[in-house]
Amino acid sequence: MGQYLIRRLLTAIPTIIIISFIIFLILDMAPGDPTASLPMTIPQEVREQIRESLGLGQPFHIRYGKFMKQFFWSEPLNILEEMTGAQIGDPNRLRLRSWQTRSPVIDLITDRTPQTLWVVGLSYVIAVLLAIPLGTISAIRQYSIFDQLGTVFSIIGYSVPTFFTGLLLIIIFSVRLGWFPSYYDTTLVVHDWPSFVKQIKQMIMPVSVLALFQTAAISRYTRSAVLDNLKQDYVRTAYAKGFREHVVVVRHVLRNSLIPVITLIALGIPQIFAGAIITEQIFRVNGLGELLIRAIQGSDVPLVMTLTLIFAILIVFFNLIADIIYGILDPRIRYG
Amino acid sequence: MAVGTADPGGLQLQAETHRKQRTLWGDAWVQFRRHKLAMFGLIILVILVFGVVIGPLVWKIDPEYIDFAISNQAPSLAHPFGTDDLGRDLLARNLYGGRISLAVGVAAMTVSMLFGTLIGSMAGYFDHLDNLLMRFTDIMLALPQLPLLLVIITLFRDTLRDAFGPEMGIFLLVVFVIGILGWMPTARIVRGTVLSIKEKEFVEAAVNVGSRETRILSRHILPNVLSPVIVSSTLAVAAAILTESALSFLGLGFPPDVPTWGRLLFDGQNFLTYTPWVVIWPGMLISLTVLSINFIGDGLRDALDPRQRS
């Protein structure tokens, strides 16, 4: 296991480097010009100076190297400084700045992360809590009414796009019934009971849109994993020994079935961050997805680059986590 | 002599197969028809495809014709889907948009299937390429799909628009990018299938009679890879339609004058309060299309897998 872990870590590092290179290359090949949106009256030499000050005058490999150093070395140090208050190294260390707002990219990202984590994280937790019992019951009562309804529900769940369910919920619950606000107010501070209720109200719709989609996928997967295990010999033995059904299911079947499900859940976590882009756009949540859309529209290269690379690192990281969990939970797997 | 004795038997066998001819596809169709949801999906999809192909020929209102006198009308006989804020007929716009959405889905699927089958079969068949190609596939899988799609399309939109015109340029870009970011699952499936098939006796026999590698790959291995590829291609069409709609919904897909279903949703969301049908039609059409394709994919998976036959 230890050796496997090290080997797995060592392949993750070049993967991240290659991905960062690909993303940097794509952004660099782009024909867009950051000074294009500035007023026409700005003379050519000033434009050149602006481009120079944005660091665009240097050759590709130097800019790539500088970005990598900034992303993996300087910015983590900056975050550490802010968290501990202590000063580490050079006080005038370079900051990776957004071209649009001129503020450090990291500050923008840390501002937006809580909203995304709340809405997206909560929906994922709800989805997991709903999906596992749903999938298990579907599998135990295969071909029952419950199972068939569950099948239809989950196929609908991942066929109807979130941007349509979101709009439908807005039409029904905000426009017609007026129960919930149609947008998410991020300036709301929870300090007493009424503001807490307001917060819950504005979270219900975005959370349920995302949760519906995730529940559909995870419950399908749980169902097939449980079905695979129910056919195994050890289940028959357990029944033959006279255990009651819930003991067999919970203690034996579920324990084994959840191994691949947990892996799937771990693999899904980075997808949530990127997948929330659409939901955030519908309900006007100013989270990370909204930040990315803004950055793309304003051709804010440093911000786009940082966000995309963070998404990529999350994917690689959770792939690693999923592999490790699988190895720990399933003793049948021995890594050579 | 051996030939002589074998011949009558052979003839008899031929006569028998002539009586009840059973082909792989015939069997698959029989199996497919038993799958109720899949048949339901097929019927819906056929209606939808007919609608968007024939529809604009029958329903002759120009989707771009603006008439403020009839703006924001609810569905009526003259305009069965209602009209939008500029008084354009929504039935015409939805039919026309469906053509583009479906075309994007099929074209992007073709791109990703070609790439996926090519890379997957090469990785499965040639041992020395396997590691390299699969590492490449892993890296592609680790790329954040939606953010990258958005970035690439925004950055290269203008260049392609200048080169191929506004509609064709975006079409090519969207199709290419969705295809190029979507081939990895297919490549993995194809590789796995090829790996198991190339150990089979009939491949060994083909090697022994001296067939060239290209011939073994094209005549003996690829036909056997066809059924998983067909299943994943249906799912890829659905995924591509969803992705295109998502892009258009974010305002980063097709330009405003090209009414794809996603674009209609994007334009309509500001008018939800007064004219909700503006978003309900395209949303329902996207959902129905994706739903029916997913049902068909489910049915095909059962029908093309001989082990599932009862």
Side-chain angles (χ1 to χ4, degrees):
Chain A
M1 186 75 196
Q3 211 185 7
Y4 169 77
L5 206 76
I6 293 168
R7 218 176 46 212
R8 197 63 188 69
L9 267 173
L10 285 181
T11 53
I13 294 168
T15 309
I16 288 175
I17 292 176
I18 295 173
I19 288 173
S20 71
F21 186 78
I22 294 175
I23 299 174
F24 197 88
L25 196 68
I26 290 173
L27 283 173
D28 197 72
M29 281 192 314
D33 178 3
T35 62
S37 56
L38 294 175
M40 300 283 277
T41 46
I42 295 177
Q44 199 56 44
E45 60 264 31
V46 180
R47 275 177 199 273
E48 278 311 310
Q49 280 171 6
I50 294 173
R51 290 173 58 81
E52 200 71 29
S53 77
L54 293 171
L56 286 172
Q58 286 155 327
F60 176 80
H61 61 275
I62 304 239
R63 277 180 292 128
Y64 176 64
K66 279 192 169 171
F67 175 81
M68 291 299 273
K69 187 192 164 208
Q70 192 67 25
F71 187 92
F72 286 104
W73 178 248
S74 304
E75 290 299 336
L77 279 183
N78 286 332
I79 296 172
L80 205 67
E81 259 183 20
E82 258 169 50
M83 275 164 51
T84 57
Q87 191 191 310
I88 309 158
D90 182 8
N92 299 319
R93 201 182 302 117
L94 206 64
R95 299 299 313 251
L96 194 60
R97 280 176 195 282
S98 153
W99 284 352
Q100 278 176 309
T101 63
R102 305 301 295 153
S103 57
V105 166
I106 294 299
D107 291 358
L108 288 172
I109 292 173
T110 46
D111 275 352
R112 301 299 189 97
T113 314
Q115 287 88 290
T116 298
L117 274 185
W118 261 113
V119 173
V120 169
L122 193 65
S123 70
Y124 206 55
V125 171
I126 291 175
V128 169
L129 291 180
L130 276 177
I132 291 177
L134 279 180
T136 314
I137 298 171
S138 277
I140 298 169
R141 306 266 174 271
Q142 197 185 5
Y143 303 131
S144 66
I145 300 287
F146 183 88
D147 181 35
Q148 282 172 353
L149 281 180
T151 307
V152 173
F153 160 80
S154 61
I155 295 185
I156 290 175
Y158 56 71
S159 297
V160 180
T162 49
F163 45 86
F164 184 47
T165 34
L167 293 179
L168 268 187
L169 287 189
I170 291 182
I171 291 177
I172 298 170
F173 292 105
S174 326
V175 179
R176 300 276 160 212
L177 299 172
W179 289 358
F180 310 121
S182 66
Y183 61 90
Y184 188 95
D185 176 11
T186 18
T187 56
L188 184 73
V189 185
V190 178
H191 52 84
D192 52 6
W193 183 249
S195 64
F196 177 72
V197 172
K198 217 175 160 194
Q199 174 71 13
I200 296 289
K201 269 189 171 178
Q202 68 178 0
M203 278 177 80
I204 285 179
M205 287 203 296
V207 167
S208 46
V209 165
L210 279 173
L212 174 75
F213 185 74
Q214 305 283 359
T215 311
I218 302 173
S219 73
R220 268 312 65 188
Y221 201 75
T222 313
R223 177 180 178 270
S224 65
V226 173
L227 275 180
D228 280 349
N229 271 288
L230 281 175
K231 290 179 201 135
Q232 305 272 328
D233 290 339
Y234 74 85
V235 179
R236 200 172 13 161
T237 312
Y239 276 121
K241 280 182 167 182
F243 286 131
R244 267 161 302 157
E245 188 177 25
H246 74 265
V247 178
V248 178
V249 170
V250 174
R251 288 255 187 87
H252 298 273
V253 176
L254 214 52
R255 258 197 191 181
N256 284 304
S257 318
L258 286 188
I259 297 170
V261 177
I262 290 174
T263 322
L264 180 85
I265 292 170
L267 285 177
I269 292 173
Q271 305 295 336
I272 335 178
F273 283 93
I277 293 175
I278 292 163
T279 317
E280 287 183 0
Q281 208 65 18
I282 303 169
F283 294 101
R284 313 275 191 266
V285 182
N286 65 341
L288 288 177
E290 205 264 352
L291 185 67
L292 179 72
I293 299 280
R294 272 278 162 91
I296 289 175
Q297 282 168 345
S299 32
D300 189 344
V301 176
L303 192 50
V304 174
M305 179 72 205
T306 312
L307 276 172
T308 335
L309 191 51
I310 288 177
F311 288 144
I313 290 174
L314 282 174
I315 295 176
V316 174
F317 178 74
F318 279 100
N319 269 320
L320 194 68
I321 297 282
D323 278 2
I324 295 169
I325 293 177
Y326 212 100
I328 294 170
L329 291 183
D330 196 340
R332 283 168 298 188
I333 292 175
R334 287 276 166 264
Y335 300 106
Chain B
M1 238 4 243
V3 176
T5 49
D7 247 347
L11 275 174
Q12 210 179 352
L13 198 77
Q14 252 183 358
E16 222 168 274
T17 47
H18 192 71
R19 237 186 299 138
K20 52 172 200 183
Q21 219 168 33
R22 287 182 65 178
T23 58
L24 169 72
W25 301 109
D27 278 0
W29 173 240
V30 169
Q31 187 73 17
F32 185 82
R33 271 199 321 216
R34 286 195 199 138
H35 200 296
K36 282 195 199 101
L37 282 177
M39 279 310 284
F40 169 75
L42 189 65
I43 292 166
I44 299 280
L45 190 68
V46 167
I47 294 172
L48 280 167
V49 170
F50 257 94
V52 301
V53 173
I54 312 282
L57 302 176
V58 180
W59 190 254
K60 284 199 164 143
I61 296 181
D62 180 5
E64 295 304 320
Y65 182 71
I66 294 171
D67 183 357
F68 287 108
I70 55 162
S71 65
N72 292 328
Q73 279 190 355
S76 64
L77 265 183
H79 302 285
F81 277 22
T83 56
D84 68 0
D85 57 312
L86 298 177
R88 291 176 293 194
D89 180 66
L90 280 172
L91 176 59
R93 287 177 76 72
N94 275 298
L95 289 174
Y96 183 70
R99 283 186 169 185
I100 298 166
S101 293
L102 290 178
V104 167
V106 173
M109 175 274 283
T110 315
V111 173
S112 65
M113 287 305 121
L114 283 179
F115 263 97
T117 316
L118 184 73
I119 290 183
S121 53
M122 288 206 323
Y125 193 73
F126 301 110
D127 291 329
H128 58 283
L129 287 177
D130 189 18
N131 196 22
L132 183 77
L133 287 176
M134 282 301 113
R135 285 255 65 97
F136 176 58
T137 312
D138 287 347
I139 288 174
M140 290 294 289
L141 273 171
L143 289 172
Q145 297 243 354
L146 191 56
L148 216 57
L149 265 169
L150 296 174
V151 169
I152 296 176
I153 286 175
T154 332
L155 292 178
F156 295 94
R157 192 156 46 173
D158 296 332
T159 322
L160 271 118
R161 186 180 296 162
D162 295 344
F164 298 100
E167 202 167 314
M168 201 58 201
I170 300 290
F171 182 82
L172 289 177
L173 183 63
V174 168
V175 162
F176 180 74
V177 177
I178 294 179
I180 217 80
L181 288 174
W183 55 266
M184 293 80 77
T186 316
R188 283 192 163 178
I189 296 169
V190 170
R191 170 183 173 266
T193 320
V194 170
L195 274 180
S196 72
I197 286 172
K198 77 171 181 185
E199 302 298 328
K200 293 269 159 66
E201 286 85 354
F202 66 87
V203 175
E204 207 175 309
V207 174
N208 284 344
V209 297
S211 305
R212 271 169 291 123
E213 283 200 326
T214 47
R215 191 178 163 80
I216 294 174
L217 203 52
S218 63
R219 290 301 293 272
H220 299 285
I221 292 182
L222 282 182
N224 286 298
V225 179
L226 213 54
S227 53
V229 170
I230 288 173
V231 173
S232 62
S233 68
T234 54
L235 302 179
V237 173
I241 290 175
L242 276 182
T243 312
E244 186 276 317
S245 315
L247 287 174
S248 297
F249 179 75
L250 293 171
L252 292 168
F254 282 87
D257 49 338
V258 183
T260 69
W261 287 336
R263 184 77 214 184
L264 289 172
L265 269 178
F266 174 71
D267 292 338
Q269 63 171 332
N270 296 323
F271 303 97
L272 293 175
T273 324
Y274 312 107
T275 56
W277 54 87
V278 178
V279 300
I280 288 178
W281 295 120
M284 275 195 4
L285 288 169
I286 297 172
S287 311
L288 265 182
T289 312
V290 174
L291 193 67
S292 58
I293 295 175
N294 280 341
F295 281 147
I296 294 172
D298 240 28
L300 280 177
R301 197 198 318 268
D302 293 352
L304 291 174
D305 186 353
R307 278 164 302 181
Q308 298 234 353
R309 298 258 162 85
S310 46

